[in-house]
Every structure is written in structure tokens, then in C-alpha cells.
Amino acid sequence: MISRRSALLLGLVLLAADNPAGHGVEEITLALGDIEGAGWSLEGVEARLAWLDDHTAALRLTAAKAMLPDPLESVTDLRGECPRLAITPQRITCHEGDLRLGPGYPGVQRLRIDFDYRVDTDRLELAVDKLRVDGGRIAANMELDRAGWNLTVQGSALQLATVSARLAAAGILQAPLTGPGTLGFTASLQGAGAQMQSGRLSARLQSTEFSDAPGRLSGVNLGLNLDAGVQRLADRWRVTGRIDGPTGQLYIDPLFIDFDPRPVHATAEFDWQPSTGHLHVRAFDYDHPGTVRLHAAGLLSLDRPVRLEEL
């Protein structure tokens, strides 16, 4: 079965093979209607090709609305342009394309788009840059072929106060944080179809001072580094993680941790089984030199409270 994406791109290749410019065709309009994928959809899609020569065209693509996967929201009035779309029977390529997003998440945007599609392998490489989110910038690269997909997302200079407000609204934090601070991250995800198979996240936090309104969470001159990975294993997920606190002070009610001059290191490995609600902590280690060293392992059932001595 050929995908809608492949059908569209192969259609462009057939147009190029037929040499429309050589037959006096200057512009072609394709009314594509609605396009649906795994967790996303586009409504009212239309593509216009203005031929510049036998294998080059200016592309303008519009969509009335895009429904994005959770937790993202809908975006209206999408307009994409590629000033020089190269089309041959072997590949379709666009460099320095432009994509404009209308109102919706994450607001009015103008992004840079690059893509390269290879016909024989049905392989698509897509790069998106200049996405503004939470005061910072996001760039993404995706590779998609018949075997699956690989997505890498990089974020820089995201503002701690804005990110924490979003986390509080989602119920992850009890209250937003105030004070200067920035977040940076790199996330790499792999999967097939609508299913993610594995992922890796590296994140960095830098803040001179922050706190929440109730006073339960605060930090001073804080630097934190997180590295985590997740992998699907049959009926469960395996998660590994490491946190390093090289500098600063952190207060999480009722604990106060001083990373200077003894940096904190913590590692964890656990299996999460969604069908049973069981969390198997394979290993948890916390080391604050000269202060405390902890090791734990056990099985938690999130369907009922578990006492510490049961671990």
C-alpha cells in the first residue's frame, strides 16, 4: 500500500518526467483536500507549482488547519513556500524553504524548512529551524523511510519561568517558578508508524535564583544536568537516567542540598509496566560525597500505597 505522502511525491516526479515546462505548462494546482496521519491531520490542503525550467519549480503549499499530536494543539492558516523545488525522477529537494504558521500553538511563526526525498527508497529527510517556544528556539530533524523514523529535537535558551508555567498547567509542578533561568535540551526519538520504540534526552538547567510562590521549591546559582533514556521491551518500558548537580543550592521541601563544593550524582534504572501499574526499580543510587550515599531497589504498585520498608 502506498502512503498519501508517497503518492504526492511520486506525482511530482511523474510531472517532472513528463517535462511540463517543455509542453508550455507554466503552473499546476493540486487540490489535495484532507490528509490524515498517525496522530495528526491537515485540512484543506492545496499545492501550486510554477515551473521555472524542466526540473525546477516554485512551490506554494497551503492548509486551512493542522491537528497536531498531544500535547500540542491545532494550528490554522499554514503557508509553505519553496522558491526552487528541484524535481527529478530520482529525488525531490528543497533548500531554504519557508513555512508560516497562523494562530494556535505555539503562536504565529515563520520557520525555515529543508527536505530531501529519494524516490527509490521512499526516504524523506526533513529539517525545521527557527521555531520560537517559551522564549527560546527549537530545531528539529527527521529521517523517515519504510523501516521507521528517527527524530532529533534541540532546544536552546528556553526561559525557566515560562516552561515551569506550562508544567504547572499540566499538573507536573505544583506552582510556576519565578526568577531568571534557562533550559537547553536535545531529544532523540526512534520508532515505526505511530509507535515510539526508544528515545534519549539530555537537558541542562542554569539559574541564578528561582522559587515558587509557596516556597516549597527554590534554587540559587544552580546548575543541573540530566541524561535519560527509554526503550520499549515487549509489555514494558525500561527507563534509565542520570542527574549531576555540579554547582549551587537546591531546596525541595523539606530537603536542602548544597552542591558546593561536593557535586551530587544520582542514577536510576527501572521498568514500567502500564498494564499492571507495576514499577520495578532495578537500581537507584544517590551519592553526595561527605554527606550521604543511598542505594535502593524494589517493586512498587502504583495502584496502592507502598511503605518504605516494603521496598
Side-chain angles (χ1 to χ4, degrees), residues 26-73:
E26 297 181 354
E27 184 172 297
I28 297 175
T29 300
L30 303 174
L32 304 175
D34 298 343
I35 300 176
E36 295 184 0
W40 63 270
S41 64
L42 295 173
E43 299 179 4
V45 182
E46 182 178 277
R48 292 186 178 182
L49 290 166
W51 293 97
L52 306 176
D53 55 43
D54 292 348
H55 296 293
T56 309
L59 171 66
R60 176 173 295 179
L61 184 69
T62 61
K65 188 176 183 180
M67 299 297 296
L68 305 177
D70 293 335
L72 304 179
E73 303 172 6

Side-chain angles (χ1 to χ4, degrees), residues 110-183:
R110 183 172 181 175
L111 315 179
R112 171 174 166 167
I113 302 290
D114 298 89
F115 68 81
D116 183 17
Y117 174 68
R118 296 179 181 269
V119 178
D120 55 345
T121 59
D122 194 21
R123 178 180 177 84
L124 175 65
E125 297 179 8
L126 174 67
V128 180
D129 198 1
K130 298 183 180 180
L131 175 63
R132 304 184 310 277
V133 175
D134 294 340
R137 178 170 167 172
I138 302 289
N141 292 272
M142 172 174 274
E143 299 174 359
L144 178 65
D145 58 26
R146 296 164 185 162
W149 52 265
N150 180 35
L151 173 65
T152 300
V153 182
Q154 294 181 308
S156 60
L158 278 69
Q159 298 304 300
L160 177 62
T162 310
V163 174
S164 68
R166 191 182 301 278
L167 296 177
I172 299 174
L173 289 179
Q174 290 187 346
L177 303 175
T178 59
T182 59
L183 290 165

Side-chain angles (χ1 to χ4, degrees), residues 7-280:
L8 171 61
L9 294 172
L10 284 173
L12 294 176
V13 171
L14 291 175
L15 287 172
D18 194 43
N19 190 9
H23 294 298
V25 178
E26 297 181 354
E27 184 172 297
I28 297 175
T29 300
L30 303 174
L32 304 175
D34 298 343
I35 300 176
E36 295 184 0
W40 63 270
S41 64
L42 295 173
E43 299 179 4
V45 182
E46 182 178 277
R48 292 186 178 182
L49 290 166
W51 293 97
L52 306 176
D53 55 43
D54 292 348
H55 296 293
T56 309
L59 171 66
R60 176 173 295 179
L61 184 69
T62 61
K65 188 176 183 180
M67 299 297 296
L68 305 177
D70 293 335
L72 304 179
E73 303 172 6
S74 63
V75 178
T76 59
D77 191 22
L78 283 77
R79 298 179 181 274
E81 295 183 0
C82 180
R84 295 190 64 84
L85 181 71
I87 307 174
T88 70
Q90 293 77 35
R91 65 196 302 181
I92 304 172
T93 305
C94 175
H95 294 300
E96 299 186 3
D98 183 79
L99 176 62
R100 302 185 185 187
L101 307 181
Y105 179 87
V108 177
Q109 300 274 346
R110 183 172 181 175
L111 315 179
R112 171 174 166 167
I113 302 290
D114 298 89
F115 68 81
D116 183 17
Y117 174 68
R118 296 179 181 269
V119 178
D120 55 345
T121 59
D122 194 21
R123 178 180 177 84
L124 175 65
E125 297 179 8
L126 174 67
V128 180
D129 198 1
K130 298 183 180 180
L131 175 63
R132 304 184 310 277
V133 175
D134 294 340
R137 178 170 167 172
I138 302 289
N141 292 272
M142 172 174 274
E143 299 174 359
L144 178 65
D145 58 26
R146 296 164 185 162
W149 52 265
N150 180 35
L151 173 65
T152 300
V153 182
Q154 294 181 308
S156 60
L158 278 69
Q159 298 304 300
L160 177 62
T162 310
V163 174
S164 68
R166 191 182 301 278
L167 296 177
I172 299 174
L173 289 179
Q174 290 187 346
L177 303 175
T178 59
T182 59
L183 290 165
F185 71 88
T186 299
S188 179
L189 308 175
Q190 296 80 37
Q195 298 293 326
M196 187 184 79
Q197 302 297 332
S198 62
R200 188 126 210 118
L201 172 67
S202 297
R204 307 163 301 282
L205 165 66
Q206 294 289 335
S207 178
T208 54
E209 184 175 5
F210 69 85
S211 64
D212 63 2
R216 298 190 182 97
L217 177 61
S218 62
V220 177
N221 296 325
L222 186 64
L224 285 177
N225 300 317
L226 166 68
D227 186 61
V230 60
Q231 183 177 8
R232 182 188 292 270
L233 299 174
D235 61 344
R236 66 191 187 278
W237 290 94
R238 174 157 298 172
V239 181
T240 60
R242 177 184 178 92
I243 295 179
D244 296 306
T247 60
Q249 292 81 40
L250 177 66
Y251 175 72
I252 306 175
D253 187 34
L255 300 176
F256 175 78
I257 306 172
D258 189 354
F259 300 150
D260 296 322
R262 300 181 182 91
V264 169
H265 307 282
T267 60
E269 180 177 331
F270 60 88
D271 290 349
W272 162 242
Q273 195 167 19
S275 61
T276 62
H278 288 166
L279 183 69
H280 180 199

